[in-house]
Amino acid sequence: MPATHATRYLHLTRHGEATPDEDGLTPTGRRQAALLGERLRDVPLSAIHHGPLPRAAETARLIGDRLDGVPAHVCEPAGDYVPYTPHRDELPADSADFLLDFVHGFPPDERAHGPLLARTAEEHFTGPVDGPEDRHELVVTHNFLIGWLVRAALDAPKWRWLGLNQCNAALTVIRYPPPGRPPSVLFSNDMAHLPAPLRWTGYPPELRITS
C-alpha cells in the first residue's frame, strides 16, 4: 500500500541585508542572496515562498536566478510581523521587562494581526506532506517568523520566539517526518555559504562571534 504521507524539508532564510529605507537590498544583501542561491542549487526545491516586502521579494528573485525553474510565490504569511505577544507571567522574571518593552515597541495593530498570520504560516509550511514523495520548499522571510517556526518545531513555550535571531541570508532547515515522529531542526542560522565579510549582518552586535 503506498505511503499516505512523506517528509517535508522546510528551508528558511531571512532576506539579505536591506537598505536603510528597507526598500531593497544593499550590494552586500544582493551578494548574500546570490551565494545562498548557489548553495541551494543541488536541493530539489519544489517552490520558493516569500513575503510581500521588497527586501524579501528581491532576495527570492536573486536566489531563484541561480536555480532551474523553481517557481516563486508571494505569500503574506511569510511576511514581517509579531507572531505572538506574551503575558508577563509567561516570562522569566529577570528578563520580562526587557522582552515586553521590545514587543510593545511594535504597533498594536501589527501585534493583533500577527498571531493569525503565524497560524496560517504553520498551516501552509509545516508538517508532513500528503503523498509518497518528500518535498523541499524554501521560505524567504524575516527574523520573527523563523524564530516562531523553530520554536514550534522544538515545542518550546510560545514566548521563546524571542531571542532566536537570524542573520541575513543564513539558512535554517526543519524536517517534518510522517506522523509518529517529531520534527527535527537539522541546522539553524547556518552561514557556511557566506564568506566572513558577509556574515552576521542583521544580528545583534552583542551576540556576534567574530573570532
Side-chain angles (χ1 to χ4, degrees):
M1 183 175 179
T4 57
H5 293 93
T7 297
R8 183 198 306 264
Y9 293 88
L10 183 65
H11 302 252
L12 297 160
T13 190
R14 185 181 181 185
H15 58 82
E17 182 185 62
T19 57
D21 62 6
E22 298 187 333
D23 200 33
L25 302 182
T26 65
T28 290
R30 291 194 291 272
R31 182 62 178 150
Q32 289 169 330
L35 289 169
L36 179 55
E38 293 293 337
R39 177 174 179 174
L40 294 171
R41 282 184 63 86
D42 295 328
V43 176
L45 292 171
S46 61
I48 301 171
H49 309 279
H50 64 84
L53 295 178
R55 57 193 187 274
E58 185 176 359
T59 301
R61 178 181 61 77
L62 290 168
I63 292 171
D65 286 348
R66 272 75 185 169
L67 307 177
D68 294 326
V70 181
H73 311 279
V74 63
C75 180
E76 186 181 7
D80 193 13
Y81 52 85
V82 174
Y84 178 75
T85 299
H87 301 288
R88 179 176 292 275
D89 59 6
E90 298 175 69
L91 300 171
D94 61 349
S95 55
D97 287 340
F98 173 81
L99 295 172
L100 289 172
D101 286 348
F102 175 77
V103 174
H104 288 142
F106 293 90
D109 59 338
E110 182 178 335
R111 288 187 276 119
H113 189 48
L116 175 59
L117 290 172
R119 287 193 298 272
T120 304
E122 289 192 69
E123 292 169 2
H124 283 7
F125 302 137
T126 73
V129 296
D130 294 333
E133 299 292 331
D134 291 350
R135 184 187 303 170
H136 293 255
E137 296 171 286
L138 172 66
V139 178
V140 180
T141 182
H142 303 264
N143 191 41
F144 293 171
L145 181 60
I146 299 174
W148 178 256
L149 295 177
V150 169
R151 173 220 64 82
L154 297 175
D155 200 25
K158 289 184 177 181
W159 70 267
R160 205 58 186 88
W161 68 271
L162 291 159
L164 295 177
N165 297 290
Q166 315 298 319
C167 296
N168 295 122
L171 188 62
T172 292
V173 178
I174 304 174
R175 179 180 185 269
Y176 299 94
R181 287 175 286 171
S184 299
V185 179
L186 301 183
F187 47 89
S188 178
N189 200 39
D190 188 330
M191 295 173 277
H193 50 288
L194 301 177
L198 300 185
R199 295 181 181 180
W200 298 109
T201 65
Y203 211 74
E206 69 274 12
L207 299 181
R208 298 180 186 184
I209 299 173
T210 57
S211 60

